[in-house]
Amino acid sequence: VDAAGPQAVLAVVEHATLLLDRADAAWAAKRVVDALARALRDDAGPRLRDAALRQLASSDVLDAVIAKASIAARNGVSSRVSTDLVPAVCRCVASKTCALATRVTAHKALAAALDRPPATPPEVLMRVVLPALRDSVRLVHGQPALAMCVLGCFDLVAKRLPEQSRILRDVLPSLIPLLDEKALNARQFDMVAGRVEAMLASAIQARRGELDSPSSVQPR
């Protein structure tokens, strides 16, 4: 795929569902992952990038990529979903130059990956996804659709944190500024406020549980 032209890469990306369904698992996983990674490179054109993001935002396609990549794990394909594709999606999420529609689709693709732990293992979640979402919040710039996408992704991150008390440090400091986003209408504001309140309540409860546990008692 690296030597193929943009049209060939686009053909593989757009027919990913068929390839993943009909072709040999190892062959399909490698070729489709290669094409998606190529399409998400910084030097790829908007048409290629948008096609790849649309495919990764599709639950069926992402599930098939993960499943076939797992079968082909001996060829080193499995880990590329988290090491190549997710970081590339995160670059689009935090991009200052991508079009709004592209960034919205990138957030949808990231949300699909966050809903699938094999695609976003803990180290990728903490070191790649969270920094990208923190950058994305600062780039909302009066775009309610983007604010809602960011909210959805942070909600999924909060559910994946190893300790719920970490919401206080890793999620809420980035999410709370959305409450002051003037472009939100009343319904959108209520959605943000509701998630912030629910996360805060969950984190406080978890923190109290930590403090009440015998291991947290400090010697006098």
Side-chain angles (χ1 to χ4, degrees), residues 60-135:
D60 291 342
V61 171
L62 187 56
D63 284 338
V65 168
I66 293 171
K68 291 297 177 75
S70 177
I71 294 172
R74 64 182 182 277
N75 296 326
V77 179
S78 181
S79 62
R80 291 189 59 204
V81 176
S82 59
T83 60
D84 292 354
L85 298 185
V86 171
V89 170
C90 285
R91 287 195 295 273
C92 296
V93 162
S95 172
K96 295 180 181 179
T97 58
C98 285
L100 174 62
T102 298
R103 293 187 60 213
V104 167
T105 308
H107 281 80
K108 292 178 179 178
L110 180 57
L114 285 168
D115 209 26
R116 290 157 178 79
T120 48
E123 63 274 14
V124 173
L125 184 72
M126 302 305 294
R127 297 179 182 178
V128 178
V129 174
L130 268 173
L133 287 175
R134 289 173 186 139
D135 289 341

Side-chain angles (χ1 to χ4, degrees), residues 122-123 125-127 130 134 154 157-174 199-200 202-208 210:
E123 63 274 14
L125 184 72
M126 302 305 294
R127 297 179 182 178
L130 268 173
R134 289 173 186 139
F154 267 120
V157 167
K159 294 171 182 174
R160 292 278 311 281
L161 291 175
E163 299 93 25
Q164 284 294 286
S165 60
R166 294 188 62 165
I167 291 173
L168 298 167
R169 181 188 310 111
D170 295 325
V171 174
L172 287 177
S174 296
M199 288 182 192
L200 182 59
S202 175
I204 288 174
Q205 182 179 7
R207 186 72 187 109
R208 281 178 174 150
E210 292 171 0

Side-chain angles (χ1 to χ4, degrees), residues 159-216:
K159 294 171 182 174
R160 292 278 311 281
L161 291 175
E163 299 93 25
Q164 284 294 286
S165 60
R166 294 188 62 165
I167 291 173
L168 298 167
R169 181 188 310 111
D170 295 325
V171 174
L172 287 177
S174 296
L175 204 52
I176 285 174
L178 285 183
L179 291 168
D180 193 40
E181 176 53 60
K182 301 299 191 277
L184 299 182
N185 61 32
R187 184 181 64 84
Q188 291 163 340
F189 173 82
D190 285 343
M191 288 177 65
V192 176
R195 290 313 307 148
V196 168
E197 289 170 346
M199 288 182 192
L200 182 59
S202 175
I204 288 174
Q205 182 179 7
R207 186 72 187 109
R208 281 178 174 150
E210 292 171 0
L211 292 170
D212 290 341
S213 67
S215 60
S216 70

